[in-house]
Amino acid sequence: MPSDKAELASRIAILQPGDSIRGLIFKSVFGLVQQHAGAIGMEKLRVGELNHDYAELRSYPAREFLTLLYSAADVLEGALGAQDAVFHACGEVSITRYSTGPGMLVFGIISRGDPQKLFAGAQMAYSAAVSYGNREYLTTGPKSGTLRMRRDMMPPAYHVGILTGSLKVLGLTGKATAKPQGIDRVDYDIEWA
């Protein structure tokens, strides 16, 4: 089943001029497509506004990234499953790559392996990768918390992939549950073992 283009249009409609994402994140998703769909999958993606090279540290319009996510969902459906499963995989691969590059400071030095410290630094970490949105973390227990994201137009399953992928980077298992408050406002309950 093709990705939800009406949802994509709604997410693009709430973008503001200047909303952007680092090329590193684009390249992570392209790498996932290359891994699971090969050259044929890449040819399907590299059309229109996505038909150019991306430099890892340069920023590109968030509109392009949303287009990439929904196009990747179409290309990877056979390999990874429905739209939300693909979004989750894109989020997880993005945070895995980010944690070894620009995010190394947050993952290695600031958090020191502590998820509470990692998620408390979410605003700083996201600000190194995107130009939009606000994130606030609230501790709800010794091994749980809620991350509130506002003015972030990415699909919730993408962020669930980022959050569970972050726990994996720290060597932990856990889950994140999205509680949408609106199309660009979601609370994520996170817990780990």
Side-chain angles (χ1 to χ4, degrees):
M1 175 190 223
S3 63
D4 188 340
K5 300 304 187 282
E7 179 183 297
L8 169 61
S10 295
R11 292 186 181 284
I12 288 174
I14 60 173
L15 290 169
Q16 293 180 8
D19 288 347
S20 62
I21 301 176
R22 296 271 185 223
L24 171 79
I25 308 303
F26 284 83
K27 291 181 86 146
S28 298
V29 174
F30 283 126
L32 184 70
V33 171
Q34 178 70 42
Q35 177 186 353
H36 291 282
I40 293 171
M42 291 297 288
E43 285 177 24
K44 291 178 182 177
L45 284 187
R46 293 293 197 155
V47 295
E49 64 187 341
L50 298 174
N51 190 20
H52 63 86
D53 290 331
Y54 291 86
E56 288 194 358
L57 297 179
R58 186 166 171 224
S59 293
Y60 300 89
R63 178 193 74 253
E64 285 183 27
F65 189 72
L66 281 166
T67 300
L68 173 59
L69 278 181
Y70 283 79
S71 297
D74 293 337
V75 171
L76 295 176
E77 180 181 25
L80 299 179
Q83 172 178 290
D84 281 352
V86 175
F87 293 161
H88 185 280
C90 289
E92 190 170 309
V93 74
S94 294
I95 196 63
T96 301
R97 187 162 181 185
Y98 176 80
S99 71
T100 61
M104 198 178 314
L105 171 70
V106 176
F107 276 88
I109 297 171
I110 295 173
S111 76
R112 296 184 186 184
D114 180 350
Q116 296 288 10
K117 289 179 183 176
L118 177 69
F119 295 127
Q123 180 62 36
M124 178 178 56
Y126 272 90
S127 293
V130 303
S131 68
Y132 55 83
N134 297 304
R135 290 126 196 115
E136 176 187 16
Y137 181 72
L138 305 166
T139 300
T140 58
K143 295 186 177 188
S144 64
T146 298
L147 183 61
R148 293 182 174 160
M149 294 193 185
R150 301 298 182 259
R151 214 184 81 63
D152 191 311
M153 67 295 302
M154 295 302 142
Y158 175 75
H159 286 298
V160 168
I162 287 174
L163 298 171
T164 57
S166 295
L167 291 171
K168 287 181 183 179
V169 168
L170 295 177
L172 300 169
T173 57
K175 68 176 186 169
T177 305
K179 295 183 176 178
Q181 309 298 310
I183 193 166
D184 66 344
R185 297 179 317 278
V186 181
D187 294 344
Y188 296 89
D189 292 334
I190 312 161
E191 37 185 81
W192 56 90

